[in-house]
Amino acid sequence: DGLATEERRLLQRASVLGKSFTLQGLSAVTGIEESPLESSLSALVHKEVLGVTTDPMSPERGQYGFLQDLVKKVAYDTMSRRERKAGHLAAATYLLGAGDEDEIVEVVAAHYLDAYMAEPNADDSSGIRTKARDMLIRAADRAASLGANAEAQRSLEHATELVDDPLERAGLHERAGRMARAGGRAEEATAHYERSISLFEAEGATHPAARVSARLAEVMWDRGRIGDAVKRMERSFAVLSEEEPDSDRATVAATLARLLFF
């Protein structure tokens, strides 16, 4: 409250970028040239609202940051939904043009998601929602390739909320379940697999439902429910055996053989 109006507005726009940000990023979000913007930021640093990294050995050298999370939260919460949306879209556009997309895909996905959540009923919300979903799936692929299964699972969970098609949503729940199992989160894996099976069965997609049911059997096996796991796996194999041979049938056959052996 003790800051000038323009300083408050500047902090609001900066809060969209996160706890720390670059001069170039803030310029893109505000539309203000870097030179006058730098003077304003210096004033906020002097007032100990922001800090700046000056360590020549730090990869974040030259970046500004909020000294207190509460200040950032208040700045963000006092923005209108329309301003938040515009800021997140500007940030996403800036990031996509500033570097390697694979390196920043998670951050871009978060900006598109926040932009959509700010005004989900706006006229352009459908397009933003699609971008958010696509970027979240790419973020999940990226995280999974790096072995970050918790991050991949979280991105997939957000993506399921942005999908209308039941079959596509079922597939995302299946993938989220795989990431949860890879991280040893059996209860979360079970919940995702059960949701996936329910969605597939509701659409009459017996083949993928059987595939996911077999995955659920593996989680049951992991948790010591050996008899239930074998029975579920056998039911899945029976369904797939009635259809054209494919990789799903081969995988379930091999896994069932392993379970029966032990």
Side-chain angles (χ1 to χ4, degrees):
D1 288 341
L3 298 176
T5 301
E6 289 305 314
E7 289 177 325
R8 290 200 301 271
R9 287 185 58 81
L10 190 60
L11 290 176
Q12 287 176 325
R13 298 297 183 85
S15 69
V16 172
L17 295 169
K19 183 173 175 57
S20 61
F21 54 90
T22 64
L23 176 64
Q24 295 78 13
L26 187 56
S27 177
V29 171
T30 61
I32 302 174
E33 295 292 332
E34 292 183 18
S35 181
L37 192 58
E38 191 168 18
S39 298
S40 299
L41 291 174
S42 295
L44 289 168
V45 170
H46 180 71
K47 294 179 180 180
E48 298 184 344
V49 176
L50 299 176
V52 60
T53 303
T54 58
D55 183 357
M57 302 299 292
S58 173
E60 297 182 351
R61 182 184 181 187
Q63 287 195 20
Y64 295 86
F66 287 87
L67 294 181
Q68 296 183 38
D69 286 335
L70 182 58
V71 174
K72 173 187 171 297
K73 184 179 187 304
V74 170
Y76 188 81
D77 289 348
T78 52
M79 296 177 71
S80 69
R81 289 182 173 273
R82 181 168 297 181
E83 287 176 321
R84 292 182 200 173
K85 173 183 171 181
H88 284 299
L89 290 177
T93 300
Y94 164 73
L95 289 170
L96 287 172
D100 185 353
E101 286 190 22
D102 289 336
E103 295 294 332
I104 46 84
V105 63
E106 294 90 349
V107 181
V108 174
H111 279 301
Y112 276 127
L113 180 60
D114 287 339
Y116 169 71
M117 295 302 294
E119 286 193 315
N121 298 319
D123 292 339
D124 60 348
S125 63
S126 178
I128 297 173
R129 182 182 183 181
T130 298
K131 288 182 180 179
R133 180 202 63 204
D134 292 346
M135 294 303 292
L136 284 166
I137 293 174
R138 285 183 56 187
D141 291 339
R142 165 81 173 169
S145 71
L146 298 174
N149 54 69
E151 288 78 3
Q153 178 186 339
R154 186 164 55 250
S155 292
L156 290 167
E157 287 171 343
H158 285 310
T160 62
E161 300 171 2
L162 304 176
V163 174
D164 292 324
D165 180 71
L167 293 177
E168 186 177 357
R169 192 182 311 124
L172 291 174
H173 276 295
E174 179 184 3
R175 290 185 59 188
R178 291 172 61 186
M179 292 297 101
R181 183 179 180 234
R185 297 177 292 278
E187 290 187 7
E188 294 175 29
T190 297
H192 280 296
Y193 283 152
E194 288 178 343
R195 182 57 178 152
S196 178
I197 294 168
S198 176
L199 288 167
F200 276 133
E201 289 181 341
E203 295 298 310
T206 57
H207 184 109
R211 179 187 66 231
V212 182
S213 185
R215 294 189 188 280
L216 178 56
E218 292 186 88
V219 177
M220 296 167 71
W221 176 274
D222 293 340
R223 306 183 78 177
R225 297 173 57 188
I226 298 173
D228 292 338
V230 170
K231 290 178 182 177
R232 179 175 284 273
M233 188 73 72
E234 287 177 332
R235 290 196 297 270
S236 294
F237 183 67
V239 171
L240 296 176
S241 294
E242 297 296 321
E243 302 182 8
E244 289 295 321
D246 65 357
S247 60
D248 289 338
R249 178 174 168 182
T251 299
V252 172
T255 306
L256 177 58
R258 176 171 57 84
L259 298 189
L260 290 172
F261 176 82
F262 286 105

